[in-house]
Amino acid sequence: MWHLAKSYLRFLWHSGNQHGLHSPFVFDLVTKCFYNKEYRKSYQVLTAHREALAKDTREISVEDFGSGSRIFKSNLRAVNAIAKNAGISPKRAELLNRLVDYFEVEEVLKIGTSVGLATMALAVNNDKAKITTVEGCTQTSIIASEYFSNFGISTISSKVAKFENFIKDVSLKKKYDLIYFDGNHTNEATIAYFENLLKTTHNNSVWIFDDIYWSEEMTEAWLFIKNHPEVTVTIDTFQWGFVFFRKEQVKQHFVIRA
């Protein structure tokens, strides 16, 4: 926890907003998407989904293949507790929903489904986006898929597999417009996912890494990614790390309050 607190203080010291941004690409992203306050009808669905999960007291046995939980002491967990403690926040869900629309993405990969809050945010009212979401735990994947069906979302393809196995099987011909990484929060696994999925990028791909300050080793993985020669632009929002591969841009790193 000390690493998290120290990292947040450092983030506050170095972070800014849209003022002083010298990249037109990043300036537009921040002003037109990050800070967009316009209400979207999709937010109603996201709220209804969150409220439904909050009422779901069913207990499931969770298989944890990653770095473990700081909240749960047992693998037997209530669905509403998972949604509350491990799910994406309402603010982040709305931003994720805007990002899919802003970048007009069509092929999305979500590493880590849990009970589906973030995956739903990627899908709602973004009918052009075909979303593949991968979860290692069978029971949480079943719960997530149940809610996708209940809310009439047909653009999500749910897969149950260990992340490393799924990633190794991704076709060399497959290109993703957006990948959201929210799975195994370890240095080794994060770097392995990054390196193995580089083959799926194109010039306008955007990757989002969750919990980049989760631990010292997760932050080390983030630094490795920032410095990788294939990466040209990164945006650190503390919770998320955005990665871009735009060849026309000089290498720049931004720290933005979002």
Side-chain angles (χ1 to χ4, degrees), residues 82-145:
I82 298 171
K84 178 181 178 181
N85 294 291
I88 192 172
S89 71
K91 179 182 176 181
R92 292 286 168 181
E94 291 175 1
L95 174 53
L96 201 56
N97 186 253
R98 294 196 299 273
L99 283 162
V100 175
D101 189 33
Y102 180 82
F103 286 114
E104 299 181 340
V105 303
E106 296 183 1
E107 289 287 348
V108 179
L109 175 61
K110 173 74 164 64
I111 303 296
T113 311
S114 188
V115 292
L117 282 166
T119 307
M120 183 74 85
L122 290 164
V124 174
N125 285 3
N126 290 313
D127 295 336
K128 291 182 180 179
K130 293 184 292 183
I131 299 158
T132 301
T133 185
V134 186
E135 174 57 49
C137 174
T138 301
Q139 290 198 30
T140 50
S141 182
I142 290 172
I143 293 293
S145 295

Side-chain angles (χ1 to χ4, degrees), residues 16-23 26-32 35 255-257:
N17 50 29
Q18 74 271 32
H19 302 295
L21 288 176
H22 300 297
S23 165
V26 176
F27 179 83
D28 284 349
L29 172 60
V30 170
T31 56
K32 297 178 181 179
Y35 296 162
V255 183
I256 303 292
R257 293 189 293 273

Side-chain angles (χ1 to χ4, degrees), residues 1 10 17 36 64-65 148 161 171 188 215:
M1 293 301 290
R10 187 183 299 115
N17 50 29
N36 188 331
D64 199 332
F65 299 101
F148 300 154
S171 169
E188 182 179 3
S215 63

Side-chain angles (χ1 to χ4, degrees), residues 180-240:
Y180 182 101
F181 297 83
D182 184 19
N184 188 332
H185 291 71
T186 63
N187 178 297
E188 182 179 3
T190 302
I191 291 176
Y193 302 160
F194 171 83
E195 291 182 327
N196 282 304
L197 285 168
L198 277 174
K199 64 190 179 186
T200 71
T201 62
H202 56 77
N203 194 65
N204 295 318
S205 294
V206 52
W207 288 9
I208 305 171
F209 289 87
D210 190 46
D211 286 329
I212 56 175
Y213 294 104
W214 169 267
S215 63
E216 289 187 26
E217 64 171 318
M218 188 63 190
T219 304
E220 288 172 1
W222 171 240
L223 293 174
F224 172 89
I225 291 165
K226 284 174 61 177
N227 292 321
H228 194 278
E230 293 292 318
V231 172
T232 56
V233 175
T234 67
I235 302 175
D236 176 347
T237 68
F238 189 73
Q239 179 70 34
W240 285 344

Side-chain angles (χ1 to χ4, degrees), residues 41-65:
K41 289 184 179 180
S42 53
Y43 297 166
Q44 296 177 353
V45 181
L46 299 183
T47 298
H49 178 222
R50 187 178 298 275
E51 290 175 348
L53 283 168
K55 297 175 182 176
D56 193 335
T57 58
R58 287 176 292 176
E59 288 191 332
I60 61 174
S61 179
V62 175
E63 301 169 85
D64 199 332
F65 299 101

